[in-house]
Amino acid sequence: MTVEATTERVLRLLALLQRRPSWTAADLAAELGVTDRCVRRDVQRLRALGYPVHAVPGVGGGYQLGAGTRLPPLLLDDEEAIATAVSLRLASGGTIAGAGEAALRALTKLDQVMPARLRAEVRAVHGSTETLMGPVAEIDAEVLVTLARACRDAVRVRFTYEARNGGQHERTVEPVRMVTTGRRWYLMAWDVDRDDWRTFRLDRMAAAFATTWRFRAREHPDPVAFVQRAVTEASYRYLARARVRATVDQVREVVPPQVGRVEDDRDGWCVLVVGGERLDWLAAHLARLSYEVEVVEPPELRDAAALLARRLAAMAGTASPDSV
């Protein structure tokens, strides 16, 4: 057998090992059309190249591709290569400090080895796509990794936190989960000093480090719902509740989760909870929905809606002079 044929078979073996967590020698031999002994030799070749292929003994054992001390090259099929390249292009304009530059470096490497036909497809997708992004809060990649490990290992974290008024405070928390809205990252954690659940914006954290204090996981609210409630309600002057004659899914299509919370009601209605600093803004926000809306609270929002209606009637030229 030629060297080229052996190299091609070893690359096929690597692709198979990356496809699923575990393979028996017999299954690999059947896929490659070789003997078990040949599979063992090819596994040794992969190990010599730096790929940590583990052999698991026993009836349910087999070969597994593990994590090594360095990152070896990956084999990607056509769909994986296109998805990775498109994702890297999007990540180059992301919210994690330094990730954009790293994504561009990775994209350059991938573009260099990608077949021309796939490169053309990726550039076609990129060339025909625009990303509509508002202002985003950039976070430190090290903070993100520190918190992720602390959530996984159930260890307390300490950090300096910048409050909304600009003051800074030392916080000690027991982290549970991170939630991203696309524009910002949040941590849901048990605040040790305040003895309660809290949310923290990652872009306001500094000098975060994991302690050696392990904590026992306690019952906690759903992280996504908890963060959504904090983002959409807690930080605003006014909190509006309105009934909307539509399904929950229909309202969620036009109201992002970081803007409002939608609850199921009855008889074809749902309840939208949304916060704002101004009642006129809330009235306009509800008025733009393409569904029938009933204000539940606060009562002042009805007055703001009535004033908005008179102004719109005046703009349309249908209001009497003394009604505005």
Side-chain angles (χ1 to χ4, degrees):
M1 182 172 290
T2 65
V3 174
E4 290 80 4
T6 301
T7 301
E8 181 182 354
R9 189 183 66 246
V10 171
L11 291 176
R12 286 180 58 203
L13 172 61
L14 177 59
L16 290 173
L17 291 172
Q18 291 176 347
R19 185 184 302 174
R20 73 187 196 196
S22 179
W23 288 84
T24 65
D27 288 341
L28 289 172
E31 288 281 344
L32 298 172
V34 296
T35 64
D36 291 5
R37 183 179 179 183
C38 185
V39 168
R40 288 193 293 272
R41 285 200 302 265
D42 287 345
V43 166
Q44 290 299 328
R45 293 187 176 100
L46 285 177
R47 288 170 176 164
L49 292 172
Y51 292 92
V53 182
H54 303 310
V56 181
V59 178
Y63 290 107
Q64 296 178 345
L65 187 62
T69 56
R70 60 188 178 89
L71 184 64
L74 298 176
L75 284 183
L76 303 176
D77 60 28
D78 289 3
E79 292 182 354
E80 292 169 341
I82 293 174
T84 301
V86 172
S87 299
L88 287 171
R89 288 188 182 273
L90 293 176
S92 63
T95 61
I96 303 173
E101 183 180 349
L104 287 175
R105 291 200 308 269
L107 183 61
T108 300
K109 294 177 181 178
L110 184 61
D111 189 72
Q112 196 171 14
V113 299
M114 187 179 292
R117 56 186 175 81
L118 296 184
R119 191 183 302 120
E121 291 188 26
V122 171
R123 289 177 178 172
V125 173
H126 182 66
S128 59
T129 304
E130 296 291 341
T131 302
L132 183 61
M133 291 286 289
V136 296
E138 192 175 82
I139 64 173
D140 190 333
E142 290 188 10
V143 171
L144 185 67
V145 173
T146 296
L147 295 177
R149 289 174 177 168
C151 290
R152 180 196 63 191
D153 300 336
V155 295
R156 286 183 177 179
V157 175
R158 290 196 183 103
F159 52 85
T160 302
Y161 194 69
E162 182 180 349
R164 198 175 307 161
N165 59 9
Q168 293 188 338
H169 308 278
E170 296 296 323
R171 310 296 283 266
T172 301
V173 303
E174 296 176 355
V176 173
R177 190 69 55 86
M178 288 183 292
V179 178
T180 178
T181 64
R183 294 178 60 246
R184 292 192 178 99
W185 288 73
Y186 296 86
L187 172 70
M188 174 187 162
W190 178 263
D191 193 316
V192 175
D193 298 322
R194 288 156 180 77
D195 199 33
D196 199 2
W197 293 107
R198 290 288 192 272
T199 59
F200 303 92
R201 279 174 48 174
L202 268 65
D203 58 296
R204 291 180 176 172
M205 293 183 183
F209 69 95
T211 70
T212 58
W213 183 285
R214 291 187 174 272
F215 61 88
R216 184 186 299 273
R218 64 183 81 216
E219 292 291 330
H220 59 77
D222 175 69
V224 173
F226 187 84
V227 170
Q228 185 189 25
R229 186 181 296 271
V231 171
T232 59
E233 301 177 17
S235 59
Y236 292 106
R237 180 181 178 186
Y238 298 103
L239 184 63
R241 293 179 62 88
R243 297 183 71 231
V244 183
R245 188 187 286 275
T247 65
V248 170
D249 290 338
Q250 286 174 324
V251 176
R252 283 176 177 165
E253 286 182 359
V254 294
V255 180
Q258 65 269 27
V259 173
R261 178 167 53 88
V262 189
E263 303 171 348
D264 199 7
D265 195 15
R266 62 184 184 279
D267 302 328
W269 291 73
C270 65
V271 174
L272 172 62
V273 182
V274 61
E277 294 297 320
R278 296 172 47 177
L279 289 171
D280 57 348
W281 182 91
L282 285 171
H285 182 73
L286 294 174
R288 76 178 181 83
L289 297 176
S290 302
Y291 306 104
E292 183 180 347
V293 178
E294 294 179 357
V295 173
V296 178
E297 59 182 5
E300 298 85 358
L301 183 56
R302 298 191 187 95
D303 298 332
L307 177 59
L308 176 63
R310 292 195 296 270
R311 289 176 176 173
L312 291 175
M315 289 175 59
T318 58
S320 59
D322 57 350
S323 64
V324 180

